[in-house]
Amino acid sequence: MAEHNKSQKTVVVGAGPVGALAALYAAQRGHEVEVYEFRSDLRDPSTTPLNFTKSINLALSERGINAIKHSSRPSLLGKIFAETVPLAGRMIHSKNSAGQLTEQSQAYDIHGRTNYAADRGGLNKLLLDELEAMPNIRFFFNHKLTGANFKDNKAWFTRGKSTPGKRDEEIEIDFDFLIGADGAHSAVRYHLMKYTRMDYQQEYIDTLWCEFHIDAKEVLPGEDPESRFRIDPNHLHIWPGKDFMFIAIASFDGSFTCTLFMPSADFTHLSAAPDTLPEFFDTYFPGVTSLIPPQDLIASFTSNPHLPLISIKCSPFHYSSSAVILGDAAHAMVPFYGQGMNAGFEDVFVLFEFLDKYSPLIPTIPPLPFPTLPSLASSRAKALAEYSKQRTEDAHAINDLALQNYKEMRADVTSPLYLARKWFEEKISVCIPSLGWKTKYSRVSYENERYSEVIRQSERQGKKLVVALLGLLGMPIVVGGLVCWARWSKGGRIRVGRWWERVVGG
């Protein structure tokens, strides 16, 4: 453990977006920060991604934006926005009864708020560059966590790339506080389980995903730079297929990262006859083969991996004052709400809110003198316990919402009932704002209220809608019944008003 007259030593395992933001928050508070990543420098184009593919483009929304704003790096958000593409809504692709291609725009938010499509690698690079400019940050790439003792605050890493037949060099480090942001298959979480009675649930849904690519158009001199996009860049494009779907999200360079989500049995069927893929796309995803040549479709399908989707829940997220897990390490989720990174960034914001609450320190570089580390450990233990208790409920809530949203995207976006409820809720939010009525999507993507509260509010609104609908449907029956009763009773001499007075008057 660091000596008492030194700054707190915080170790972050994982240099992805969430780990980088956590390191930034810690460094701004004067901690001596060490970031360990088992891959090579993620800014190096030759570094192999975890799943050997570019991965689904990230959607940056209010929760993530809010966390970046509070990083105390005023220029960071502007740099990030400069390389993103605003997403105003969904574009639903289909065919009409005459066989013509159709597009239907569905705005995300009636108030005009947007999400932002971000390239994962570009965003990660900006965060790492921001970290590298700070004097109290050190990077350790190609370091794999192999062991941890959270009672004595020690961890072990193998250093360098593994060589067959040669024993990897292992190093030992000490720390005051360790943050695990090392993804769904977290090594920190694995070792944390040895020290705390962690409940753990892992679920693979029966859906695989495969990446495709729409190339940018060549922009000739004098042409509008926006013409580099082959389709509208400001929408998430969806080809819904009820049991599967194809989506496309713009990248800043004009290309689109596309993803096919489909049950594993369908992947197996198409893998046995890849030449039938263009016909399959023409049937279920009309118009895609005009954007991606058939041979490129087949090549991407056969060469890119067909990857699983995992949902992870666990509790608690911490052990004593020593360690905590964030992001996918704590709550990996399916990507259908676009909240994976945003929830991870919000983890960082909420965590440091609790840490500051129990150990209020003014962010400053160089750091101000710290209280003694034993007192910091005691206050940090309280902060982590409170963080785990609150954040677990919210993490589980967004995991459930992400799973539910898959059905909405692949099937419900064309449902009249879904569209009617969305229209009704948006109209109420505009016409009677005092009611505080909002769509579930707007609460998740454009507000900062807790995810668990979003579910509670949405359920309340749903019950009120049912009551209102039953009232509207039942009104003609009630009125008709009263009229019939008035006519039948004493030849109609008893009026409805008098009858009602008798009823309510007892």
Side-chain angles (χ1 to χ4, degrees), residues 4 32 51 79 102 130 155 162 167 181 200 231 363 367 403 466 488 497 500:
H4 291 188
E32 291 298 324
N51 50 23
K79 295 175 184 176
T102 63
E130 198 76 19
S162 297
R167 182 181 176 86
Y200 178 78
I231 50 179
L403 283 167
V466 170
W488 171 80
W500 182 247

Side-chain angles (χ1 to χ4, degrees), residues 164-180:
K166 183 179 178 181
R167 182 181 176 86
D168 294 332
E169 179 186 2
E170 189 172 72
I171 62 169
E172 178 183 294
I173 66 163
D174 58 7
F175 58 85
D176 298 308
F177 181 37
L178 186 144
I179 298 173

